[in-house]
Amino acid sequence: MSLEKTFKALADKNRREILSLLKKNSLTAGEIAEHFDMTNATLSYHLQILKDAGLIFDEKDKNYRVYSMNASVFEEVLAYFFEFKGDENEK
């Protein structure tokens, strides 16, 4: 996992909205596009950034690509942040 790619992907509001959609269900690009006012090329760009960061993956289903969220990356990011929490009893 590349934290730089992950944070870059999460920095964009549209990509966070795509992740929110995929948190509920796996969707095709067309189903995702129904929720946005953007060109197919722009949506494809956002999906590629999310894929490169490992936040989503896709599977071919007949003539479609079905996108799903990769929850394990979020677990890794949370583990990274918990490293900084430290022991509350330490002063």
Side-chain angles (χ1 to χ4, degrees), residues 15-68:
R15 292 192 285 269
R16 291 192 307 270
E17 289 181 29
I18 292 169
L19 289 170
S20 291
L21 291 171
L22 294 177
K23 180 175 70 172
K24 299 171 189 163
N25 294 311
S26 296
L27 300 169
T28 65
E31 292 168 330
I32 295 168
E34 292 173 4
H35 298 272
F36 297 92
D37 183 25
M38 63 177 69
T39 66
N40 288 342
T42 301
L43 177 61
S44 179
Y45 169 78
H46 286 302
L47 291 171
Q48 190 60 50
I49 296 284
L50 291 167
K51 281 178 57 177
D52 288 346
L55 292 166
I56 65 171
F57 59 91
D58 64 333
E59 296 178 314
K60 189 157 176 72
D61 182 25
K62 299 179 186 169
N63 295 331
Y64 300 97
R65 291 245 170 236
V66 179
Y67 293 88
S68 302

